[in-house]
Amino acid sequence: RVSLTLSALDRTFKASGPTPAELYPPQTGYGAALPISFPGWDVLERQSNSNGMDERRARTAVTSPWVYSDISAIANEAASAELIVKERKGTKLVDVENHELERLWESPNPHMGRSYVVAFWMWSYVLASKSYLFWMPSKSAETGWELWPIPPFMITPLPDTQAFIGGYGFKSSPSAKSLIISPEYITFSHSVNLFDIRDGLSFLVAAMLGIETDLAAAMWNRNFFKESNGIPDGFISVPRDTLDPDLERVRAEIRAFFGGTRRGVAIARGGDLKYESWGRSQK
């Protein structure tokens, strides 16, 4: 079960501690900036987003059977979780029956159910280390909202020195014009990234070498058993002075007799043919 605690929407939060001006008295130089506006944070390069490296890694990773099965297991486990909304009353948490968020979670949008949206959310997080949910106002929906997942490679957080994240840039394709979405409509989940605090660091950065090694081994094994893989099991030799027409006739007769998989007994004059096994081991 997933427990979510919500404060009443009509409450106003009142800080009882010191004001920001008291915490951060006027200073000079870089010290005058709050931590979220450290120099450089608004111009950090997201190379993985700009050149599609994360997406290419993800497309390669999902072709690995163990990666696919592991992420499927995580996503299915999350999709089966029950959402429960609680409200804090004094020192206790009380269940809120039939909360609108619970109803929305059960039917996120007209085309997707809860299990699909949660699974998509988890696939995005585990594979790309960041996931996005778009809360879209809807007059036709019972709760007044629809909930949609956004592919993580189509959207990126936009840094802001005051608001930390000023919005999100959405592009349906690399050539499309960027659409700016206000931050209040996006739920952004991401892993820790020491190189960009506003973005997630893909887990595939560490796993990719193992994944590519596994895929290369699987491809080698497939080619080993593939027909006409260019590596014969053995070699049949004929006398050195055999003419080309006779050599072609011998090849044709051997192929016709043995075929691709037949086993039989070859009959020839002593010393005419010599077979040498190349000892290839499937193991």
Side-chain angles (χ1 to χ4, degrees), residues 229-279:
N229 62 3
I231 307 176
D233 292 318
F235 176 75
I236 296 177
S237 62
V238 299
R240 184 182 297 274
D241 57 354
T242 302
L243 299 177
D244 288 346
D246 295 334
L247 179 60
E248 290 299 329
R249 179 178 57 81
V250 172
R251 285 175 177 169
E253 289 178 355
I254 291 178
R255 289 195 186 106
F257 182 77
F258 289 102
T261 56
R262 286 180 53 193
R263 294 191 177 192
V265 178
I267 300 176
R269 290 187 299 271
D272 286 351
L273 299 178
K274 180 181 178 182
Y275 178 76
E276 179 182 351
S277 175
W278 285 4

Side-chain angles (χ1 to χ4, degrees), residues 147-209:
L147 187 60
W148 293 83
I150 298 180
F153 310 114
M154 292 185 177
I155 186 171
T156 184
L158 304 176
D160 185 275
T161 56
Q162 300 301 320
F164 193 61
I165 293 179
Y168 297 86
F170 172 80
K171 296 180 69 173
S172 57
S173 67
S175 60
K177 184 178 180 180
S178 181
L179 174 67
I180 307 302
I181 303 177
S182 298
E184 58 265 27
Y185 295 108
I186 297 292
T187 294
F188 178 30
S189 306
H190 62 85
S191 64
V192 174
N193 186 349
L194 298 182
F195 311 106
D196 190 345
I197 200 169
R198 294 179 177 87
D199 206 358
L201 181 63
S202 174
F203 303 116
L204 296 181
V205 171
M208 208 61 212
L209 181 59

Side-chain angles (χ1 to χ4, degrees), residues 12-250:
T12 301
F13 176 77
K14 296 182 179 179
S16 58
T19 65
E22 293 171 333
L23 287 174
Y24 301 96
Q27 299 179 40
T28 60
Y30 288 148
L34 294 178
I36 65 170
S37 58
F38 281 159
W41 278 21
D42 57 338
V43 292
L44 280 173
E45 293 183 3
R46 292 178 174 83
Q47 296 181 359
S48 59
N49 288 344
S50 61
N51 60 21
M53 185 183 299
D54 280 354
E55 183 173 359
R56 289 197 299 271
R57 277 197 293 243
R59 287 182 180 274
T60 300
V62 294
T63 62
S64 170
W66 59 268
V67 172
Y68 188 93
S69 61
D70 286 354
I71 299 180
S72 293
I74 295 172
N76 292 339
E77 184 74 15
S80 63
E82 180 184 3
L83 176 69
I84 297 177
V85 179
K86 294 178 178 289
E87 182 180 9
R88 181 175 296 278
K89 292 187 177 180
T91 59
K92 297 182 178 180
L93 294 176
V94 181
D95 288 354
V96 179
E97 299 293 338
N98 198 33
H99 191 276
E100 62 177 352
L101 179 60
E102 291 181 353
R103 301 199 304 272
L104 175 61
W105 201 252
E106 290 299 321
S107 183
N109 63 68
H111 302 283
M112 302 174 184
R114 177 203 66 189
S115 297
Y116 182 87
V117 170
V118 175
F120 194 104
W121 194 17
M122 289 295 100
W123 266 91
S124 298
Y125 185 81
V126 178
L127 196 59
S129 300
K130 49 198 167 208
S131 54
Y132 300 84
L133 294 176
F134 175 48
W135 304 78
M136 186 181 77
S138 173
K139 295 181 180 179
S140 60
E142 176 191 359
T143 60
W145 294 88
E146 293 179 8
L147 187 60
W148 293 83
I150 298 180
F153 310 114
M154 292 185 177
I155 186 171
T156 184
L158 304 176
D160 185 275
T161 56
Q162 300 301 320
F164 193 61
I165 293 179
Y168 297 86
F170 172 80
K171 296 180 69 173
S172 57
S173 67
S175 60
K177 184 178 180 180
S178 181
L179 174 67
I180 307 302
I181 303 177
S182 298
E184 58 265 27
Y185 295 108
I186 297 292
T187 294
F188 178 30
S189 306
H190 62 85
S191 64
V192 174
N193 186 349
L194 298 182
F195 311 106
D196 190 345
I197 200 169
R198 294 179 177 87
D199 206 358
L201 181 63
S202 174
F203 303 116
L204 296 181
V205 171
M208 208 61 212
L209 181 59
I211 293 171
E212 289 176 340
T213 302
D214 182 67
L215 292 176
M219 186 173 295
W220 185 94
N221 199 47
R222 182 201 66 180
N223 293 336
F224 184 93
F225 293 100
K226 189 177 180 181
E227 186 178 356
S228 301
N229 62 3
I231 307 176
D233 292 318
F235 176 75
I236 296 177
S237 62
V238 299
R240 184 182 297 274
D241 57 354
T242 302
L243 299 177
D244 288 346
D246 295 334
L247 179 60
E248 290 299 329
R249 179 178 57 81
V250 172

